[in-house]
Amino acid sequence: MPLPPDTGRSAEPTVGLVVVSHSPALAQGVVDVARAMSHPSLRMEPVGGAGGRLGTDATEVMTAMSRAKGPGGVLVLADLGGAVIASETAVDLLGWSPQEAIVSAGPLVEGAVAAAVAASAGQDLSRVAAEAEGALRSKSGLRCKSGVGFDDDPGPGPEPGSSIRGRSVADRPGDEAETATEGVSITFEMELAHGLHARPAATLVRAMSGLDAAIQVRNATTGSGPARASSLSHLVALGIRQGDRVTVTAHGPDTARVLQGVGRVIADRFGEPAAGPADQGPGVRHPGSAGSTVRASSTGSASWTGSAGMVGAAKTAGRPGLTRGLPASPGTALGPVVKLGRASSDPGREGGRGRVGWTQLEAAIRSAGEELATRQRTMEREGLLDAADLVEVQRLLLDDEVLTEAARRTVEEGGDAAEAWEQAVAEAAGGWEATGDEHLAARASDLAALSGLVLAHLDGTSPRRTVPPGSAGVLVCGPLDPATFARLDRANLTALAVVGGGAADHTAVMARSLGVPAVVGLPGTVEEIPEGTLVGVNGDEGTLEVEPPADRLASYQVPPSRRRLAAIPTCSGERPDQRTTTRDGREVAILANVSSEAEATWAAEVGEEGIRLVRTELLFAGWDHLPGEDEQLELLRKLGEAIGGRPMTVRTFDAGADKQLPWLPMGPEPNPALGQRGLRLGLARPDVLATQLRALARLGGERPVRVLLPMVTTAEELATAYRIWEEAGGQGRAELGIMVEVPAAALAIETLVGRAAFFSVGTNDLCQYVMAADRQNPAVARLADGMAPSVLTLVARVARDARAAGLPVAVCGELAADPDAVPVLVGLGIDELSVAPAAVAAVREAVRRTDTSTAERLAAAATELPTAQKVREMLHTWTQ
């Protein structure tokens, strides 16, 4: 029944409503129901679906909010976690304050009806929001079967079945008392392949920290628990596996925020990547057949069982000295064996410590935590985010109140603090092992390592296990905990050969993050290889070869700097500033792609001729705030110092919905590759782009630098960016160039040459746009081959048009780093090749083997062939 027009309040409602659902029909239906009970002039907007399918779109929410907002603001109600995130993103992008917009934690249907009635009655935004959140009070005596329920004696406030998510209503006197005694719970099914192991558990701990509520977690499937949500060790010990039902219960004033936080964590998959095959860890690509299961032990030999039940031995028949493990981090390396040593003092085992009090132990725990925090920040700033996450997990374990309280109780009972700490950690590790989950049991060693770290700080000694100073080569060891791994001298780490472990454990994840070739799951006999023995590591195939014969040394391609560290001769006469030329004398510059200061140093060591691509979005990815002009300049200066006077090209932030930055949030997009990314995002946020361009203009006044704009599509975009560049003072200080990644730009180079001083062809994105094949989609990834004749034809056109204008052209991406592709690229007229530091040596050698006239004939033939496979077959025949 419609609300009577005269309510004693304002005749026109001042607050508007937006209903956001994954389903367009549901959103419209809720609006229809609420409209039947509201004032005729109430502004209500439904938002549902994304790109014609179920989902939500932050940009559509922004549009709806702008239409619905009245003089008193707008209230947004959302159905699920993704809709909440889209709604909050919309509020952030609009820049509206809590007095202008609130994302309600109320239920969708009842909340919309209650809010519509309150808004029609002229209530202000805070009261409309309060009515929405309290809309289920009339059902407080019922219990919902949806898995979200309240205690048996519920008081006023949110009701069973409600999905309490979104931005909480601003605190108001009286409201806190309504929920102060509430006990609420939410039950969900664990979807992660490895269950609630340490890293996702750490995500939950972070989400729950700082909330004024007593929060407990139970494994409803096994009955284990409850565990405090603030205790990482206890959460992991619950043994929550994939498919288990998990119940989170909260009591206290912040109960609504607890459920909001849990909802976000679930929607974000606890910060873990999308699920892959169950026998592979996050981000692990295993070349074995589908359905194969890999197991490894720290003793005996590794074995693998395929879908047909075939079992293989660790030794590979037919090649003496070759041992097979599991591929963990791609790449090959050659070097002498080095091993972890012990410090001169082994904490707590030489009788020099004496009795330890609680104050001393607290100081040691704090000191160890500060060390881990420092290493975490360093890794984040270098773009090593996976490695930083693992170090953070150990830091959170040090803050675990369950561990410290157990140790304190022992001390209060008269025990030694150091022994109490060891005992508390050992009991927690035992709890992880007792879950029967192999994945969690393997993580128990991380706890033991944490115990040693604290004791080392207690004694003021070095960590127990270190790499001897000055040693370099292939580290042979058992699985490493993140804290130990973080201490390794990465400049001296050629590769890893790990006894035991698996491709999903911390050692493998850290190695991949650092770009270090690694093999795990090796048999225990590998530890008997003497130090100094030359070994080859193949992280792609998962093999370790002892003293490879001379005819196989070339198969282990190692960057020159690491050859030097491994005492293997480099090319005689190689100088860092030496130019790379083809056999007939044509110069082709070999430049490096970097995303950290460490990579810039490495690039300088391997003799590159400059930096062609600084990925600034990775350089600053670990920051918790938008880097200011001075901060950006300072870090870029350090990169410049690492390469001396050689030129440096810096790309502006290449972010988007598929490459999110914590300080530049974006809402979900139905197709991120075709959405607001690269320069499109920069022009949408001119404040961010202008700040970065000002920093680059200042840098250009100090050293040779070029500025590269990503994802340029039209001349209009370039003109707008050029104007911002001029306003930043960049004209005359540095050249401005563009990434050619979009077919539209490749086909219209002549319209871009007026303002672009150079071009860089990004073959990764160009290929997926030309072939209409998402590189991340395994079903079509084979189409995204840069050797496709259609892609090569576009590259040739860019080179031709740029050459006509007298401008240089580079190629970056996987194609530039492929030695087989080098002759074709040279033949197409490419002037520069931009590759990762690890690929510099191989690409340089490929250029030196190339003759320009032959390369031009190969390039012409390649563009006439029907498929990428035919191009590769032609090149293979040519090299024979």
Side-chain angles (χ1 to χ4, degrees), residues 629 633 637 648 692-707 722 725-736 757-758:
E629 181 180 329
L633 179 61
R637 279 173 175 161
M648 180 167 73
Q692 186 170 31
L693 292 180
R694 285 195 300 271
L696 289 170
R698 290 169 61 187
L699 183 68
E702 302 173 0
R703 59 163 294 110
V705 66
R706 297 188 295 185
V707 178
Y722 196 84
W725 172 239
E726 289 180 317
E727 293 171 353
Q731 190 173 24
R733 292 194 172 193
E735 293 181 328
L736 199 67
F758 62 95

mmCIF file of all heavy atoms in Angstrom, residues 629 633 637 648 692-707 722 725-736 757-758:
data_model
loop_
_atom_site.group_PDB
_atom_site.id
_atom_site.type_symbol
_atom_site.label_atom_id
_atom_site.label_comp_id
_atom_site.label_asym_id
_atom_site.label_seq_id
_atom_site.Cartn_x
_atom_site.Cartn_y
_atom_site.Cartn_z
ATOM 1 N N GLU A 629 55.229 13.018 -5.267
ATOM 2 C CA GLU A 629 56.215 13.408 -6.279
ATOM 3 C C GLU A 629 57.642 13.189 -5.783
ATOM 4 O O GLU A 629 58.482 12.607 -6.497
ATOM 5 C CB GLU A 629 55.989 14.878 -6.637
ATOM 6 C CG GLU A 629 56.932 15.428 -7.690
ATOM 7 C CD GLU A 629 56.659 16.892 -7.990
ATOM 8 O OE1 GLU A 629 55.495 17.324 -7.880
ATOM 9 O OE2 GLU A 629 57.614 17.619 -8.336
ATOM 10 N N LEU A 633 60.417 10.404 -7.172
ATOM 11 C CA LEU A 633 61.706 10.867 -7.677
ATOM 12 C C LEU A 633 62.858 10.191 -6.946
ATOM 13 O O LEU A 633 63.846 9.773 -7.569
ATOM 14 C CB LEU A 633 61.797 12.390 -7.534
ATOM 15 C CG LEU A 633 63.114 13.024 -7.992
ATOM 16 C CD1 LEU A 633 63.354 12.754 -9.468
ATOM 17 C CD2 LEU A 633 63.094 14.531 -7.707
ATOM 18 N N ARG A 637 65.627 7.860 -8.772
ATOM 19 C CA ARG A 637 67.046 8.244 -8.727
ATOM 20 C C ARG A 637 67.924 7.044 -8.373
ATOM 21 O O ARG A 637 69.008 6.868 -8.924
ATOM 22 C CB ARG A 637 67.249 9.350 -7.694
ATOM 23 C CG ARG A 637 66.901 10.742 -8.179
ATOM 24 C CD ARG A 637 66.977 11.724 -7.029
ATOM 25 N NE ARG A 637 66.765 13.108 -7.456
ATOM 26 C CZ ARG A 637 66.420 14.083 -6.632
ATOM 27 N NH1 ARG A 637 66.235 13.831 -5.328
ATOM 28 N NH2 ARG A 637 66.250 15.314 -7.090
ATOM 29 N N MET A 648 67.563 5.688 -19.467
ATOM 30 C CA MET A 648 66.518 4.987 -18.729
ATOM 31 C C MET A 648 65.160 5.448 -19.261
ATOM 32 O O MET A 648 64.914 6.647 -19.385
ATOM 33 C CB MET A 648 66.645 5.278 -17.235
ATOM 34 C CG MET A 648 65.606 4.590 -16.360
ATOM 35 S SD MET A 648 66.034 4.677 -14.590
ATOM 36 C CE MET A 648 65.689 6.404 -14.238
ATOM 37 N N GLN A 692 53.051 11.968 -11.264
ATOM 38 C CA GLN A 692 54.125 11.128 -11.783
ATOM 39 C C GLN A 692 54.916 11.857 -12.864
ATOM 40 O O GLN A 692 56.161 11.768 -12.890
ATOM 41 C CB GLN A 692 53.550 9.826 -12.332
ATOM 42 C CG GLN A 692 54.632 8.835 -12.750
ATOM 43 C CD GLN A 692 54.085 7.464 -13.059
ATOM 44 O OE1 GLN A 692 52.962 7.327 -13.517
ATOM 45 N NE2 GLN A 692 54.878 6.433 -12.806
ATOM 46 N N LEU A 693 54.242 12.581 -13.726
ATOM 47 C CA LEU A 693 54.946 13.289 -14.791
ATOM 48 C C LEU A 693 55.809 14.420 -14.235
ATOM 49 O O LEU A 693 56.890 14.708 -14.778
ATOM 50 C CB LEU A 693 53.951 13.832 -15.818
ATOM 51 C CG LEU A 693 53.232 12.759 -16.660
ATOM 52 C CD1 LEU A 693 52.269 13.411 -17.649
ATOM 53 C CD2 LEU A 693 54.226 11.872 -17.392
ATOM 54 N N ARG A 694 55.382 15.051 -13.151
ATOM 55 C CA ARG A 694 56.230 16.086 -12.529
ATOM 56 C C ARG A 694 57.519 15.478 -11.989
ATOM 57 O O ARG A 694 58.602 16.046 -12.138
ATOM 58 C CB ARG A 694 55.462 16.809 -11.418
ATOM 59 C CG ARG A 694 54.409 17.789 -11.916
ATOM 60 C CD ARG A 694 53.955 18.734 -10.803
ATOM 61 N NE ARG A 694 53.376 18.016 -9.678
ATOM 62 C CZ ARG A 694 52.081 17.712 -9.575
ATOM 63 N NH1 ARG A 694 51.242 18.071 -10.547
ATOM 64 N NH2 ARG A 694 51.607 17.083 -8.516
ATOM 65 N N ALA A 695 57.389 14.303 -11.350
ATOM 66 C CA ALA A 695 58.578 13.624 -10.841
ATOM 67 C C ALA A 695 59.516 13.254 -11.986
ATOM 68 O O ALA A 695 60.745 13.405 -11.889
ATOM 69 C CB ALA A 695 58.172 12.374 -10.054
ATOM 70 N N LEU A 696 58.946 12.792 -13.098
ATOM 71 C CA LEU A 696 59.770 12.395 -14.242
ATOM 72 C C LEU A 696 60.403 13.603 -14.916
ATOM 73 O O LEU A 696 61.535 13.520 -15.418
ATOM 74 C CB LEU A 696 58.918 11.609 -15.231
ATOM 75 C CG LEU A 696 58.506 10.207 -14.754
ATOM 76 C CD1 LEU A 696 57.464 9.606 -15.686
ATOM 77 C CD2 LEU A 696 59.724 9.298 -14.668
ATOM 78 N N ALA A 697 59.690 14.715 -14.937
ATOM 79 C CA ALA A 697 60.273 15.932 -15.506
ATOM 80 C C ALA A 697 61.480 16.374 -14.684
ATOM 81 O O ALA A 697 62.514 16.785 -15.240
ATOM 82 C CB ALA A 697 59.216 17.038 -15.558
ATOM 83 N N ARG A 698 61.380 16.316 -13.381
ATOM 84 C CA ARG A 698 62.519 16.669 -12.529
ATOM 85 C C ARG A 698 63.679 15.702 -12.747
ATOM 86 O O ARG A 698 64.843 16.108 -12.795
ATOM 87 C CB ARG A 698 62.086 16.659 -11.063
ATOM 88 C CG ARG A 698 61.135 17.799 -10.707
ATOM 89 C CD ARG A 698 60.505 17.614 -9.335
ATOM 90 N NE ARG A 698 61.503 17.586 -8.275
ATOM 91 C CZ ARG A 698 61.227 17.305 -6.997
ATOM 92 N NH1 ARG A 698 59.965 16.990 -6.666
ATOM 93 N NH2 ARG A 698 62.172 17.318 -6.086
ATOM 94 N N LEU A 699 63.354 14.405 -12.885
ATOM 95 C CA LEU A 699 64.397 13.416 -13.140
ATOM 96 C C LEU A 699 65.086 13.700 -14.478
ATOM 97 O O LEU A 699 66.313 13.556 -14.604
ATOM 98 C CB LEU A 699 63.792 12.009 -13.149
ATOM 99 C CG LEU A 699 64.775 10.851 -13.345
ATOM 100 C CD1 LEU A 699 65.688 10.715 -12.133
ATOM 101 C CD2 LEU A 699 64.022 9.541 -13.575
ATOM 102 N N GLY A 700 64.288 14.125 -15.479
ATOM 103 C CA GLY A 700 64.858 14.438 -16.781
ATOM 104 C C GLY A 700 65.824 15.598 -16.760
ATOM 105 O O GLY A 700 66.668 15.720 -17.644
ATOM 106 N N GLY A 701 65.706 16.450 -15.757
ATOM 107 C CA GLY A 701 66.652 17.555 -15.617
ATOM 108 C C GLY A 701 67.968 17.121 -14.999
ATOM 109 O O GLY A 701 68.913 17.930 -14.940
ATOM 110 N N GLU A 702 68.023 15.864 -14.536
ATOM 111 C CA GLU A 702 69.223 15.375 -13.841
ATOM 112 C C GLU A 702 69.998 14.331 -14.632
ATOM 113 O O GLU A 702 71.202 14.184 -14.438
ATOM 114 C CB GLU A 702 68.819 14.770 -12.488
ATOM 115 C CG GLU A 702 68.085 15.716 -11.577
ATOM 116 C CD GLU A 702 67.556 15.019 -10.328
ATOM 117 O OE1 GLU A 702 67.773 13.792 -10.175
ATOM 118 O OE2 GLU A 702 66.929 15.699 -9.495
ATOM 119 N N ARG A 703 69.316 13.577 -15.500
ATOM 120 C CA ARG A 703 69.964 12.446 -16.169
ATOM 121 C C ARG A 703 69.196 12.100 -17.449
ATOM 122 O O ARG A 703 68.058 12.545 -17.631
ATOM 123 C CB ARG A 703 69.998 11.227 -15.252
ATOM 124 C CG ARG A 703 68.614 10.757 -14.785
ATOM 125 C CD ARG A 703 68.644 9.353 -14.228
ATOM 126 N NE ARG A 703 68.974 8.394 -15.262
ATOM 127 C CZ ARG A 703 70.131 7.728 -15.328
ATOM 128 N NH1 ARG A 703 71.046 7.897 -14.412
ATOM 129 N NH2 ARG A 703 70.380 6.887 -16.316
ATOM 130 N N PRO A 704 69.805 11.300 -18.342
ATOM 131 C CA PRO A 704 69.078 10.896 -19.555
ATOM 132 C C PRO A 704 67.875 10.028 -19.200
ATOM 133 O O PRO A 704 68.009 8.983 -18.568
ATOM 134 C CB PRO A 704 70.129 10.089 -20.338
ATOM 135 C CG PRO A 704 71.448 10.448 -19.758
ATOM 136 C CD PRO A 704 71.192 10.781 -18.324
ATOM 137 N N VAL A 705 66.696 10.446 -19.614
ATOM 138 C CA VAL A 705 65.485 9.696 -19.301
ATOM 139 C C VAL A 705 64.462 9.909 -20.404
ATOM 140 O O VAL A 705 64.415 10.962 -21.049
ATOM 141 C CB VAL A 705 64.903 10.135 -17.924
ATOM 142 C CG1 VAL A 705 64.416 11.552 -17.969
ATOM 143 C CG2 VAL A 705 63.771 9.203 -17.492
ATOM 144 N N ARG A 706 63.679 8.870 -20.669
ATOM 145 C CA ARG A 706 62.543 8.960 -21.583
ATOM 146 C C ARG A 706 61.300 8.499 -20.838
ATOM 147 O O ARG A 706 61.383 7.672 -19.930
ATOM 148 C CB ARG A 706 62.773 8.110 -22.831
ATOM 149 C CG ARG A 706 63.966 8.557 -23.666
ATOM 150 C CD ARG A 706 64.049 7.818 -24.990
ATOM 151 N NE ARG A 706 64.301 6.394 -24.836
ATOM 152 C CZ ARG A 706 64.514 5.563 -25.853
ATOM 153 N NH1 ARG A 706 64.499 6.024 -27.099
ATOM 154 N NH2 ARG A 706 64.739 4.287 -25.653
ATOM 155 N N VAL A 707 60.143 9.023 -21.246
ATOM 156 C CA VAL A 707 58.879 8.702 -20.575
ATOM 157 C C VAL A 707 58.005 7.929 -21.560
ATOM 158 O O VAL A 707 57.814 8.352 -22.704
ATOM 159 C CB VAL A 707 58.162 9.977 -20.103
ATOM 160 C CG1 VAL A 707 56.825 9.626 -19.455
ATOM 161 C CG2 VAL A 707 59.043 10.750 -19.133
ATOM 162 N N TYR A 722 50.042 14.761 -23.553
ATOM 163 C CA TYR A 722 51.139 15.680 -23.876
ATOM 164 C C TYR A 722 50.922 17.032 -23.211
ATOM 165 O O TYR A 722 51.872 17.669 -22.728
ATOM 166 C CB TYR A 722 51.253 15.835 -25.389
ATOM 167 C CG TYR A 722 52.568 16.440 -25.836
ATOM 168 C CD1 TYR A 722 53.695 15.645 -26.012
ATOM 169 C CD2 TYR A 722 52.676 17.808 -26.079
ATOM 170 C CE1 TYR A 722 54.898 16.199 -26.420
ATOM 171 C CE2 TYR A 722 53.879 18.373 -26.480
ATOM 172 C CZ TYR A 722 54.990 17.559 -26.645
ATOM 173 O OH TYR A 722 56.187 18.118 -27.034
ATOM 174 N N TRP A 725 51.876 16.694 -19.709
ATOM 175 C CA TRP A 725 53.341 16.620 -19.656
ATOM 176 C C TRP A 725 53.951 18.028 -19.744
ATOM 177 O O TRP A 725 54.889 18.360 -18.997
ATOM 178 C CB TRP A 725 53.818 15.740 -20.800
ATOM 179 C CG TRP A 725 55.297 15.666 -21.044
ATOM 180 C CD1 TRP A 725 55.946 15.995 -22.195
ATOM 181 C CD2 TRP A 725 56.306 15.193 -20.151
ATOM 182 N NE1 TRP A 725 57.297 15.758 -22.067
ATOM 183 C CE2 TRP A 725 57.547 15.276 -20.824
ATOM 184 C CE3 TRP A 725 56.283 14.734 -18.838
ATOM 185 C CZ2 TRP A 725 58.743 14.893 -20.234
ATOM 186 C CZ3 TRP A 725 57.479 14.348 -18.245
ATOM 187 C CH2 TRP A 725 58.700 14.433 -18.932
ATOM 188 N N GLU A 726 53.416 18.868 -20.627
ATOM 189 C CA GLU A 726 53.910 20.237 -20.748
ATOM 190 C C GLU A 726 53.654 21.013 -19.460
ATOM 191 O O GLU A 726 54.522 21.764 -18.987
ATOM 192 C CB GLU A 726 53.240 20.928 -21.937
ATOM 193 C CG GLU A 726 53.699 20.417 -23.296
ATOM 194 C CD GLU A 726 53.005 21.138 -24.437
ATOM 195 O OE1 GLU A 726 51.774 21.360 -24.342
ATOM 196 O OE2 GLU A 726 53.693 21.468 -25.414
ATOM 197 N N GLU A 727 52.453 20.840 -18.898
ATOM 198 C CA GLU A 727 52.128 21.539 -17.653
ATOM 199 C C GLU A 727 53.017 21.090 -16.499
ATOM 200 O O GLU A 727 53.257 21.847 -15.556
ATOM 201 C CB GLU A 727 50.654 21.308 -17.303
ATOM 202 C CG GLU A 727 49.680 21.963 -18.290
ATOM 203 C CD GLU A 727 48.242 21.543 -18.035
ATOM 204 O OE1 GLU A 727 48.020 20.640 -17.182
ATOM 205 O OE2 GLU A 727 47.332 22.101 -18.682
ATOM 206 N N ALA A 728 53.509 19.834 -16.590
ATOM 207 C CA ALA A 728 54.405 19.312 -15.551
ATOM 208 C C ALA A 728 55.834 19.799 -15.732
ATOM 209 O O ALA A 728 56.702 19.481 -14.917
ATOM 210 C CB ALA A 728 54.372 17.780 -15.566
ATOM 211 N N GLY A 729 56.085 20.562 -16.814
ATOM 212 C CA GLY A 729 57.431 21.070 -17.050
ATOM 213 C C GLY A 729 58.334 20.078 -17.739
ATOM 214 O O GLY A 729 59.566 20.208 -17.690
ATOM 215 N N GLY A 730 57.740 19.099 -18.431
ATOM 216 C CA GLY A 730 58.547 18.046 -19.020
ATOM 217 C C GLY A 730 59.123 18.359 -20.377
ATOM 218 O O GLY A 730 60.132 17.762 -20.781
ATOM 219 N N GLN A 731 58.514 19.300 -21.114
ATOM 220 C CA GLN A 731 58.969 19.572 -22.469
ATOM 221 C C GLN A 731 60.414 20.076 -22.445
ATOM 222 O O GLN A 731 60.763 20.997 -21.712
ATOM 223 C CB GLN A 731 58.074 20.610 -23.142
ATOM 224 C CG GLN A 731 58.330 20.761 -24.635
ATOM 225 C CD GLN A 731 57.316 21.666 -25.289
ATOM 226 O OE1 GLN A 731 56.716 22.507 -24.620
ATOM 227 N NE2 GLN A 731 57.108 21.509 -26.582
ATOM 228 N N GLY A 732 61.252 19.437 -23.252
ATOM 229 C CA GLY A 732 62.657 19.821 -23.304
ATOM 230 C C GLY A 732 63.527 19.092 -22.305
ATOM 231 O O GLY A 732 64.757 19.136 -22.399
ATOM 232 N N ARG A 733 62.899 18.417 -21.334
ATOM 233 C CA ARG A 733 63.676 17.683 -20.328
ATOM 234 C C ARG A 733 63.766 16.198 -20.629
ATOM 235 O O ARG A 733 64.727 15.547 -20.226
ATOM 236 C CB ARG A 733 63.050 17.871 -18.943
ATOM 237 C CG ARG A 733 63.158 19.285 -18.409
ATOM 238 C CD ARG A 733 62.836 19.308 -16.925
ATOM 239 N NE ARG A 733 63.098 20.598 -16.330
ATOM 240 C CZ ARG A 733 63.147 20.827 -15.020
ATOM 241 N NH1 ARG A 733 62.927 19.813 -14.179
ATOM 242 N NH2 ARG A 733 63.394 22.026 -14.550
ATOM 243 N N ALA A 734 62.756 15.666 -21.293
ATOM 244 C CA ALA A 734 62.753 14.240 -21.619
ATOM 245 C C ALA A 734 61.831 14.016 -22.804
ATOM 246 O O ALA A 734 60.887 14.782 -23.031
ATOM 247 C CB ALA A 734 62.292 13.408 -20.421
ATOM 248 N N GLU A 735 62.109 12.968 -23.556
ATOM 249 C CA GLU A 735 61.256 12.606 -24.676
ATOM 250 C C GLU A 735 60.054 11.804 -24.195
ATOM 251 O O GLU A 735 60.152 11.052 -23.223
ATOM 252 C CB GLU A 735 62.038 11.779 -25.697
ATOM 253 C CG GLU A 735 63.136 12.540 -26.411
ATOM 254 C CD GLU A 735 63.848 11.667 -27.409
ATOM 255 O OE1 GLU A 735 63.955 10.444 -27.167
ATOM 256 O OE2 GLU A 735 64.317 12.196 -28.430
ATOM 257 N N LEU A 736 58.947 11.980 -24.903
ATOM 258 C CA LEU A 736 57.718 11.262 -24.577
ATOM 259 C C LEU A 736 57.452 10.245 -25.689
ATOM 260 O O LEU A 736 57.452 10.593 -26.875
ATOM 261 C CB LEU A 736 56.555 12.238 -24.467
ATOM 262 C CG LEU A 736 55.310 11.784 -23.710
ATOM 263 C CD1 LEU A 736 55.625 11.599 -22.238
ATOM 264 C CD2 LEU A 736 54.188 12.809 -23.869
ATOM 265 N N ALA A 757 57.967 10.651 -29.585
ATOM 266 C CA ALA A 757 59.348 10.703 -30.061
ATOM 267 C C ALA A 757 59.931 9.316 -30.269
ATOM 268 O O ALA A 757 61.017 9.184 -30.829
ATOM 269 C CB ALA A 757 60.207 11.496 -29.074
ATOM 270 N N PHE A 758 59.262 8.301 -29.796
ATOM 271 C CA PHE A 758 59.714 6.921 -29.990
ATOM 272 C C PHE A 758 58.542 5.988 -29.724
ATOM 273 O O PHE A 758 57.537 6.388 -29.125
ATOM 274 C CB PHE A 758 60.904 6.584 -29.073
ATOM 275 C CG PHE A 758 60.597 6.668 -27.603
ATOM 276 C CD1 PHE A 758 60.225 5.535 -26.882
ATOM 277 C CD2 PHE A 758 60.681 7.875 -26.926
ATOM 278 C CE1 PHE A 758 59.937 5.606 -25.533
ATOM 279 C CE2 PHE A 758 60.399 7.959 -25.564
ATOM 280 C CZ PHE A 758 60.023 6.817 -24.864
#
